[in-house]
């Protein structure tokens, strides 16, 4: 349980100690890290694995007093869950991570803020730990009955509190239009308008896919542009398939042409930094794409949590609203699993269900037919 006498300030002063311990822990588990990095198929996956392992190492050293080494016992996993998930007490919700250790983890920059994790973050940390054990053929504590039973009870408890797994808000057509309205005719405005429309209209492209778009793989055609997908999260060998080609047409094509002309881009990456004085710089990073979406959402005054993934979920949700076939949408998005896309599609189609209008006298007309 938490110790109210602990002093976060004293923990912060131990920053050098925790960084040294972290280095030792990472060295001890280097084989695991290297195996995980080989498994990581994308930059984002690699970064998330590294972040999770670093957190495990730091937490383990501070909480248990010795380096993080595989295999990890079941008792350690149960303690990790108790430290990071809220449970009910007589005075409200609490978690078991001591305040001084919580502050030290933040000071070491392996944790963003003090307090419990979101349940999705805990599950991700456990998934990475599980993969580390599986990769080395070690007994996997995350698959133990005790851990699985506890997680099931936690999911049930969170559901009873009305807390559902967090999803970023979807940028469907209306909020997307609000973002586009913030883009003026400056170089940055032209670039951001082209980027938003390209990412959304070509099938809800991931940010890593946006920054890999070039004039070499995005060729002009009479209808606009045709973007050829190479390497992606679901095509890590870069094989060319029937679903590799993504149309960039209509307003998206017009916006892209305007940006390319203004920036005088004739080869290489489509979306680049705009430096002071209108100097066109290097290719944008995936992180820059996320920041552009968030900044434009803030400028538009949108309430909600919007990130680059909101373009992808928004495309699928809007397709559901407009009654587009799921197979056609998956051909655009390149989702590998029906389960991962069907939730967004059904959510978008919910208000178009005739069953919801049984009490109405007038015949129901889906919104997609009224456009």
């Amino acid at each position: 349980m938490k110790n109210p006498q602990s002093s976060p300030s004293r923990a912060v002063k131990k920053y050098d100690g925790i960084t040294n311990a972290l280095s030792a822990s990472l060295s001890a588990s280097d084989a695991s890290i290297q195996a995980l990095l080989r498994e990581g198929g994308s930059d984002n996956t690699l970064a998330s694995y590294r972040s999770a392992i670093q957190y495990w190492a730091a937490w383990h050293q501070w909480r248990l007093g010795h380096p993080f080494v595989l295999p990890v016992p079941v008792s350690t996993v149960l303690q990790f869950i108790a430290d990071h998930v809220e449970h009910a007490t007589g005075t409200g919700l609490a978690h078991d991570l001591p305040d001084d250790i919580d502050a030290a983890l933040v000071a070491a920059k392996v944790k963003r803020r003090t307090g419990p994790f979101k349940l999705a973050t805990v599950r991700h940390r456990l998934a990475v730990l599980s993969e580390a054990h599986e990769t080395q053929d070690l007994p996997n504590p995350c698959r133990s009955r005790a851990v699985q039973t506890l997680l099931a009870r936690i999911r049930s408890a969170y559901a009873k509190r009305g807390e559902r797994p967090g999803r970023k808000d979807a940028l469907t057509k209306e909020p997307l239009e609000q973002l586009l309205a913030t883009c003026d005719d400056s170089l940055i405005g032209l670039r951001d308008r082209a980027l938003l429309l390209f990412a959304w209209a070509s099938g809800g492209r991931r940010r890593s896919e946006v920054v890999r778009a070039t004039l070499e793989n995005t060729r002009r055609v009479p209808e606009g542009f045709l973007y050829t997908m190479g390497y992606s999260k679901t095509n890590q060998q870069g094989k060319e398939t029937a679903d590799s080609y993504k149309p960039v047409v209509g307003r998206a094509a017009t916006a892209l042409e305007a940006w390319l002309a203004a920036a005088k881009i004739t080869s290489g990456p489509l979306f680049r930094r705009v430096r002071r004085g209108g100097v066109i710089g290097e290719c944008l990073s995936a992180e820059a794409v996320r920041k552009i979406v968030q900044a434009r959402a803030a400028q538009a005054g949108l309430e909600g949590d919007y990130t680059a993934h909101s373009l992808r979920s928004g495309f699928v949700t809007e397709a559901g609203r407009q009654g587009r076939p799921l197979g056609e949408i998956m051909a655009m998005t390149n989702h590998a699993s029906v389960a991962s896309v069907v939730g967004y599609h059904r959510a978008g189609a919910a208000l178009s269900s005739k069953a919801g209008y049984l009490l109405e006298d007038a015949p129901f007309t889906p919104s997609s037919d009224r456009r």
Side-chain angles (χ1 to χ4, degrees):
M1 298 297 293
K2 287 188 177 183
N3 179 7
Q5 303 302 319
S6 296
S7 169
S9 62
R10 289 203 302 272
V12 171
K13 292 178 181 178
K14 297 178 182 178
Y15 176 76
D16 289 338
I18 192 172
T19 51
N20 291 337
L22 176 59
S23 297
S25 298
L26 288 176
S27 296
S29 59
D30 184 65
S32 171
I33 295 170
Q34 294 305 318
L36 283 167
L37 295 184
R38 286 194 296 272
E39 292 289 321
S42 71
D43 292 342
N44 290 338
T45 303
L46 186 151
S48 72
Y49 280 5
R50 181 180 292 278
S51 174
I53 289 294
Q54 287 178 334
Y55 187 82
W56 269 105
W59 171 84
H60 198 284
Q61 181 69 46
W62 273 94
R63 189 69 161 109
L64 305 179
H66 53 89
F68 169 73
V69 180
L70 300 182
V72 173
V74 171
S75 59
T76 295
V77 177
L78 294 174
Q79 184 64 65
F80 183 89
I81 294 171
D83 278 1
H84 297 93
V85 171
E86 289 184 304
H87 58 271
T89 69
T91 57
L93 298 176
H95 64 294
D96 288 358
L97 188 64
D99 289 332
D100 56 344
I101 295 177
D102 205 2
L105 292 167
V106 174
K109 299 181 180 179
V110 295
K111 194 168 188 270
R112 288 186 180 181
R113 61 183 70 86
T114 57
F117 279 150
K118 292 182 179 179
L119 184 54
T121 303
V122 173
R123 293 176 66 181
H124 177 265
R125 295 287 192 266
L126 294 175
V128 172
L129 183 70
S130 177
E131 183 67 18
H133 285 80
E134 295 289 338
T135 300
Q136 296 194 45
D137 293 323
L138 296 171
N140 189 346
C142 300
R143 293 186 179 275
S144 70
R145 184 172 181 178
V147 170
Q148 291 299 310
T149 299
L150 179 58
L151 288 175
R153 297 288 177 86
I154 289 170
R155 286 193 294 269
S156 178
Y158 270 55
K160 288 179 180 179
R161 296 177 206 158
E163 298 183 35
R164 304 177 66 183
R167 275 185 171 181
K168 303 302 182 184
D169 290 296
L171 277 167
T172 50
K173 186 176 181 180
E174 289 81 2
L176 177 66
E177 294 287 8
Q178 291 178 260
L179 261 68
L180 295 172
T182 70
C183 300
D184 57 22
D185 290 332
S186 66
L187 276 173
I188 291 178
L190 290 170
R191 180 200 64 193
D192 290 1
R193 182 185 296 114
L195 185 152
L196 292 169
L197 284 168
F198 174 93
W200 198 94
S202 66
R205 301 272 58 84
R206 299 177 179 90
R207 53 182 178 161
S208 59
E209 295 164 357
V210 171
V211 298
R212 281 197 290 268
T214 66
L215 270 175
E216 286 69 37
N217 60 28
T218 310
R219 60 188 177 87
R220 289 179 173 86
V221 294
E223 297 81 1
F225 293 85
L226 192 64
Y227 171 48
T228 304
M229 286 271 293
Y231 174 93
S232 70
K233 182 177 180 180
T234 55
N235 182 15
Q236 296 183 15
Q237 289 74 43
K239 295 180 180 178
E240 191 169 318
T241 68
D243 294 339
S244 296
Y245 305 99
K246 311 300 176 186
V248 182
V249 296
R251 291 171 60 193
T254 301
L256 181 56
E257 193 65 77
W259 155 245
L260 294 175
K264 297 180 174 59
I265 295 173
T266 57
S267 64
L270 299 185
F271 303 109
R272 310 184 188 194
R273 288 188 62 182
V274 178
R275 299 184 180 280
R276 186 174 300 177
V279 176
I280 305 301
E282 67 276 16
C283 178
L284 289 177
S285 66
E287 177 66 10
V289 175
R290 181 185 67 83
K291 290 180 178 179
I292 287 171
V293 174
Q294 290 182 321
R296 291 294 175 183
Q299 280 184 259
L302 295 184
E303 295 183 2
D305 189 5
Y306 294 95
T307 67
H309 184 73
S310 299
L311 294 165
R312 186 166 176 79
S313 61
F315 176 85
V316 178
T317 306
E318 184 64 34
R321 288 174 58 181
Q322 296 193 27
R324 299 299 193 266
L326 185 60
E328 180 181 327
I329 300 312
M330 290 186 66
M332 286 286 287
T333 63
N334 282 84
H335 274 96
S337 165
V338 173
S340 62
V341 68
V342 73
Y344 291 111
H345 193 267
R346 286 178 177 171
L351 290 176
S352 297
S353 173
K354 294 183 179 181
Y357 295 82
L358 296 180
L359 288 174
E360 304 304 316
D361 294 328
F364 169 70
T365 303
S367 58
S368 57
D369 293 344
R370 297 197 296 266
R371 293 177 186 274

